Amino acid sequence: MERRIIFCMLFFSSSMLLTATPQKLKYRQIIKTIERLEIAVKNEDAERLHTPENPEDGCLFTAMTCFQNETWKLQPKISQENSAFFKQVKILRSPLLRSSDTPCESSCESYEKKSPKDFLKGFAKLMKQVEFISHGRF
């Protein structure tokens, strides 16, 4: 009887881990994609991008939307890499957060414009924050 109970507990706990994995993997994929783009992005003579920093909890969706909308302005260092580069950018634009009911006072245009590399570093930082919050590790 004890073995059955232990087996059931192990089965239940492992199934709970598996349900959380897809979201965590998605966040990790986004972070890896950002890191790859940091190497390939044109930084010199490039358009500066609105870069949200330290958004309040109620403004995470607005900050994420800002990052995702600004990604289309990124350009590759080498024009021959356009196709692969924009496939990476497209990954960043997949839906990541649900809209928040909390009104956010800041808009994308209210954030400072930064270089593409700093923009991507800020995006990676936000993704790590979202990953941390979404897994309940406070």
Side-chain angles (χ1 to χ4, degrees):
M1 181 68 171
E2 284 181 26
R3 287 184 180 179
R4 282 187 184 174
I5 292 172
I6 291 172
F7 174 76
C8 288
M9 289 175 57
L10 286 173
F11 179 76
F12 179 73
S13 62
S14 66
S15 66
M16 292 300 291
L17 286 174
L18 290 175
T19 58
T21 302
Q23 192 70 11
K24 187 173 183 175
L25 288 175
K26 187 172 188 174
Y27 294 147
R28 292 276 161 90
Q29 178 192 20
I30 296 293
I31 292 167
K32 291 282 185 200
T33 301
I34 292 169
E35 290 169 355
R36 285 191 295 269
L37 283 172
E38 280 183 46
I39 296 166
V41 74
K42 178 181 178 182
N43 204 47
E44 302 299 319
D45 301 322
E47 181 177 354
R48 297 174 72 74
L49 310 166
H50 293 284
T51 306
E53 286 185 319
N54 305 318
E56 299 171 17
D57 286 341
C59 293
L60 288 176
F61 179 77
T62 303
M64 184 66 71
T65 302
C66 180
F67 273 116
Q68 289 179 313
N69 290 338
E70 292 285 287
T71 57
W72 285 122
K73 298 175 185 175
L74 295 171
Q75 297 295 319
K77 277 185 206 175
I78 303 167
S79 60
Q80 290 88 351
E81 297 175 357
N82 269 349
S83 177
F85 184 86
F86 287 110
K87 282 181 185 175
Q88 302 273 332
V89 168
K90 190 174 180 180
I91 291 170
L92 300 182
R93 297 191 45 86
S94 63
L96 298 169
L97 295 177
R98 282 185 250 148
S99 180
S100 173
D101 293 335
T102 309
C104 182
E105 293 181 20
S106 56
S107 67
C108 190
E109 292 75 28
S110 69
Y111 293 108
E112 181 183 349
K113 285 187 169 187
K114 295 192 174 187
S115 72
K117 285 197 180 203
D118 288 337
F119 168 83
L120 288 169
K121 286 177 184 169
F123 196 175
K125 182 179 174 184
L126 179 68
M127 285 306 306
K128 289 173 184 170
Q129 180 182 356
V130 167
E131 180 184 19
F132 186 79
I133 290 169
S134 71
H135 290 87
R137 294 183 237 150
F138 292 102

